[in-house]
Amino acid sequence: MADDRAAIADIVRTFFGAFASGADCTARLDALRQVFLPEAVIVRTGGGVPVVSGVDGFIAPRRELLSGGTLTDFREWELRGHTEIFGDVAHHFCSYAKAGVQNGAAFTGRGMKTLQFVRLPAGWRISAVAWDDERDGLAIDGGVQSAEVRGTR
C-alpha cells in the first residue's frame, strides 16, 4: 500500500507541476500524457455548464495559455489532500491554489480537485479529473461537504 500511495503522490505532483509558465512548460505538459489513460475524462466546473474534454483537448489550450505570453509567473500547487485506495481503483481529493499574472494583472485563486486513478499493468494512471474554483458563495473553508454513504441491501 505504501508503494501505491507513493506512486499516486508522484502522479499528483506531475499533474500539478505541469501547470506552470516558463521554461520547460512544453515538456511538463507533454508528461501529462504519461500519467493519464488515453481515454481519460477531464471536467472543469465553475457554477455553470461543465466543460468536458479528453486528454488532448485539455492539454492544448493550457499549452497555448502557458506559453503564449499573456499568462506569466503562473503556477498551481496542492494545498492539502488525501488518497483512498481499494484494489485497483483510487481517488485523490485535494485543495489547491494558483497564482500568476494575466495580461499584466496579478491574480490568485483556490479550488478543489478530484482525481480518480486505475491500476494498469504499467502502473497507476489518471482516469478522470474534475475541479471547481472558489467564487462568490463558495469557499474552501466553508464549502467542502463530507458524508459517508452506506449501501443498503
Side-chain angles (χ1 to χ4, degrees):
M1 184 79 75
D3 289 345
D4 290 334
R5 288 193 183 283
I8 289 170
D10 284 344
I11 292 171
V12 170
R13 276 191 293 281
T14 298
F15 178 81
F16 278 103
F19 308 113
S21 57
D24 297 328
C25 172
T26 298
R28 287 190 308 274
L29 287 167
D30 286 344
L32 287 178
R33 284 189 177 83
Q34 303 304 310
V35 299
F36 275 106
L37 283 176
E39 304 85 0
V41 175
I42 300 106
V43 181
R44 178 178 52 89
T45 66
V49 176
V51 176
V52 180
S53 60
V55 176
D56 290 333
F58 173 70
I59 293 172
R62 281 147 188 87
R63 181 185 316 279
E64 176 62 31
L65 188 61
L66 291 168
S67 63
T70 60
L71 179 63
T72 58
D73 299 323
F74 181 79
R75 71 183 188 104
E76 275 189 13
W77 64 96
E78 181 178 18
L79 295 170
R80 280 187 296 172
H82 68 276
T83 300
E84 297 175 350
I85 301 169
F86 181 81
D88 293 333
V89 297
H91 164 80
H92 185 78
F93 193 55
C94 64
S95 57
Y96 75 100
K98 57 186 171 181
V101 177
Q102 189 162 22
N103 298 320
F107 70 92
T108 61
R110 298 186 316 168
M112 299 294 294
K113 289 194 182 192
T114 177
L115 294 85
Q116 278 89 53
F117 298 85
V118 295
R119 185 195 324 258
L120 302 176
W124 291 97
R125 297 294 183 269
I126 299 171
S127 59
V129 175
W131 73 94
D132 200 349
D133 287 339
E134 289 182 316
R135 57 186 175 277
D136 288 342
L138 182 63
I140 292 173
D141 298 331
V144 179
Q145 300 175 16
S146 181
E148 184 174 335
V149 177
R150 296 187 186 270
T152 59
R153 287 197 210 210

